[in-house]
Amino acid sequence: MTKESNRMRHISVLLADDQPMIRTGFRLILEAEGDIDVVGEASDGREAVAETERLTPDVVLMDIRMPNMDGVEATRLITRSVPSSHVIVLTTFDLDAHVVDALRSGAGGFLVKDGPADSLVEAIRTVATGDAVLAPRVTRRLLDRFAGMPSETAPTVPPRLDALTARELDVLRALARGLSNAEVGRELGIGETTVKSHVARILEKFQLRDRVQAVVLAYDCGLVTPRSAPTPGPR
């Protein structure tokens, strides 16, 4: 496949929000893009799961607070039953405890509803390729605030980290601190390509979708805690 044809691959999107005007606004934004097709809509979490199973969209835009079934539970069911569909959760506030539950449930990231339109489009394109849509630093800021709260989606028994080598543990700790591949490489004295290989093996060993899921894992396993993690500096 050429670069040009790959760039024009169409991305199918399902919109899940209980407010019709919000869905209409998103549809207008997305249908203006030549490579994005809105293939369906859902007005609650239960309908979102059913429509995802029927349509298997590349990306689901999921409102986190909906009637009948909220976006967290819908995300958990979708990532289990339709793993090829990637979920972006939508929230009104960036520091929302429910976002952490959604990330634990398999969401590839989150967006604030009043964000710019180009961020929405770019997020969909990013998640459709299997990458995470938010920076690990943002995830860590959420976890620093909410990791100690009870969660229905946190694992009852965290996976054992002894499957990782000492170097992979070092890399996972660095990821949980919000470092980029280049920053991890400089800190550990290894090349960026080697860092990418370590990250890929971490994701493979624990069947994680992306780096954000690795950060959540580090917190849930106690490898990094909110108390021990320093506050990120200005960006």
Side-chain angles (χ1 to χ4, degrees), residues 70-80 87 89 98-108 151-155 209 213 216 220:
D70 65 23
V72 175
E73 177 65 10
T75 296
R76 184 183 67 81
L77 294 175
I78 286 171
T79 55
R80 288 184 179 181
V87 179
V89 292
H98 293 285
V99 170
V100 176
D101 280 343
L103 295 176
R104 286 191 174 114
S105 296
S151 169
E152 294 182 1
T153 57
R209 286 190 168 213
Q213 296 291 300
V216 173
D220 284 341

Side-chain angles (χ1 to χ4, degrees), residues 1-69:
M1 182 179 288
T2 66
K3 289 184 178 180
E4 181 65 24
S5 60
N6 185 59
R7 190 160 51 242
M8 289 306 297
R9 182 183 75 86
H10 279 231
I11 301 167
S12 57
V13 177
L14 174 72
L15 305 177
D17 195 294
D18 62 329
Q19 300 182 54
M21 290 184 65
I22 295 290
R23 298 198 305 271
T24 298
F26 286 150
R27 180 182 282 275
L28 290 173
I29 291 169
L30 298 178
E31 289 187 340
E33 302 296 323
D35 60 336
I36 297 177
D37 298 323
V38 176
V39 296
E41 297 185 12
S43 59
D44 60 42
R46 188 170 287 110
E47 188 179 359
V49 174
E51 287 297 280
T52 300
E53 292 175 343
R54 184 175 72 89
L55 298 168
T56 61
D58 297 312
V59 177
V60 180
L61 280 183
M62 180 79 72
D63 185 17
I64 209 163
R65 300 174 187 270
M66 291 186 291
N68 297 325
M69 178 187 292

Side-chain angles (χ1 to χ4, degrees), residues 22-219:
I22 295 290
R23 298 198 305 271
T24 298
F26 286 150
R27 180 182 282 275
L28 290 173
I29 291 169
L30 298 178
E31 289 187 340
E33 302 296 323
D35 60 336
I36 297 177
D37 298 323
V38 176
V39 296
E41 297 185 12
S43 59
D44 60 42
R46 188 170 287 110
E47 188 179 359
V49 174
E51 287 297 280
T52 300
E53 292 175 343
R54 184 175 72 89
L55 298 168
T56 61
D58 297 312
V59 177
V60 180
L61 280 183
M62 180 79 72
D63 185 17
I64 209 163
R65 300 174 187 270
M66 291 186 291
N68 297 325
M69 178 187 292
D70 65 23
V72 175
E73 177 65 10
T75 296
R76 184 183 67 81
L77 294 175
I78 286 171
T79 55
R80 288 184 179 181
S81 64
V82 194
S84 61
S85 293
H86 301 275
V87 179
I88 301 173
V89 292
L90 301 167
T91 181
T92 305
F93 308 103
D94 59 352
L95 285 180
D96 186 337
H98 293 285
V99 170
V100 176
D101 280 343
L103 295 176
R104 286 191 174 114
S105 296
F110 80 95
L111 292 172
V112 179
K113 282 188 175 183
D114 61 359
D118 57 351
S119 295
L120 173 66
V121 172
E122 185 60 31
I124 287 172
R125 290 177 177 144
T126 299
V127 168
T129 67
D131 290 335
V133 75
L134 75 163
R137 279 190 175 90
V138 178
T139 308
R140 195 182 122 205
R141 184 162 60 97
L142 278 164
L143 290 167
D144 280 348
R145 181 161 179 175
F146 298 118
M149 297 177 62
S151 169
E152 294 182 1
T153 57
T156 304
V157 179
R160 294 174 61 86
L161 293 180
D162 54 11
L164 300 179
T165 66
R167 180 58 85 192
E168 287 167 353
L169 278 171
D170 290 340
V171 171
L172 181 56
R173 287 191 187 94
L175 292 183
R177 289 166 47 215
L179 301 187
S180 67
N181 287 343
E183 291 168 336
V184 173
R186 287 195 294 271
E187 180 168 295
L188 300 180
I190 57 179
E192 189 171 348
T193 300
T194 302
V195 173
K196 291 180 181 178
S197 297
H198 285 310
V199 172
R201 284 195 292 272
I202 293 168
L203 300 184
E204 181 181 3
K205 286 181 177 181
F206 293 111
Q207 297 298 296
L208 305 173
R209 286 190 168 213
D210 50 50
R211 297 163 63 94
V212 170
Q213 296 291 300
V215 176
V216 173
L217 172 73
Y219 274 78

